[in-house]
Every structure is written in structure tokens, then in C-alpha cells.
Amino acid sequence: WPRLDVLILMGDLIDGTQGKTRSTGLYTSNLSEQAEIATAVLRGLVDKTKPGILYRVDGTPYHEDYHGALKILDRDLGVSRTGQVLDIDLGSGILNVAHHPIGGATLYAGTQVDKESLWATIAAASGHTPRARWIVRAHRHWYIEQHTAKCSVVQTPCWQLPTPYAVKTNYWRF
């Protein structure tokens, strides 16, 4: 494998205490153990990343349960920057990453991705944010991408398999 120029961990790296499911389906509900397991799983990718170019965006509090467990993961993997939303200058454009996709109910998944691009363009035109060339979001259990002449938006799937509840509420999608 070649060296990775940048590696971005897109959130929900641990599963928290799972209050809704009472930790069923988890290997362990211990947050420190979850962070250690995530570190071991991610170590191979991290070792292929150039030093100082490892970022992590914050995931869902329900999953990550912010009680310090991610500090262990950040320290052990060498995460250099974290945040809710990151704008990363790649030289040829700005990469905007966040865990949560744009909200709102829509009939088609593509509508939300399109809204993300539209609002990014409006915010950049008004001078409130840098103009993003690429936008990446996570959290959902599916992949979609859309491209325009000036912006590409990608919705990446999370690394947790769909839960029975997610399949039930999105039967056709799964």
C-alpha cells in the first residue's frame, strides 16, 4: 500500500453504552475496551498515514458517549485534529467533513446530499465558510455520491451493520 496523504475517522468509532438497546449486540459495553479495540482495528490504516495527518470528526453522543474514552483512542493513534466539522485545505480545494449529514425529511436520499451542496454554496458565497470542493458526511447506513461542476458530496456508510430497527424502518433500502 502507498502512504495515505490524509486519514479521516468519521465518528461513531465506539458504540457507547447503548441505552436504547441495553448493550445487546456489543462485544463489550466498557468504553475503554471499545476504544482499545477500535485502536487495534484501525492501527494498520494509521500506520500507512503520513505523520500528523490523522483527523477525527465527532460522532453521535449516543454512540460515542463523551466520557473521555475517545481521548485514549486519539492519543494511541496519534490523532492530530478533531472537531464537529473540519475544513481541510488539500491544496487543490477544501475538503469539508462532518459526521452528521444535513437534516430534514426527504423522499430521496439524493435530496439531502443535494441540499448539502446547495447550502455549502450559499454559505461560501455569503463569506461565512470556505468554498468546499468536496463534502463528506457519515452516520447513515448507505453510500451515495453526487457531483456538480464545483462540488462533490459523498455520504459514506457507517461501519456498524444495520440494526434490526434500522432495517425495519428502511426495509426497501436494505
Side-chain angles (χ1 to χ4, degrees), residues 23-40:
S23 301
T24 58
L26 291 179
Y27 177 76
T28 177
S29 61
N30 181 292
L31 298 176
S32 295
E33 289 176 357
Q34 288 184 29
E36 289 172 16
I37 293 167
T39 299

Side-chain angles (χ1 to χ4, degrees), residues 35-36 39 43 46 70-79:
E36 289 172 16
T39 299
R43 174 59 58 203
V46 171
L70 289 176
K71 290 179 184 173
I72 296 167
L73 183 135
D74 290 346
R75 180 199 66 214
D76 292 350
L77 289 179
V79 172

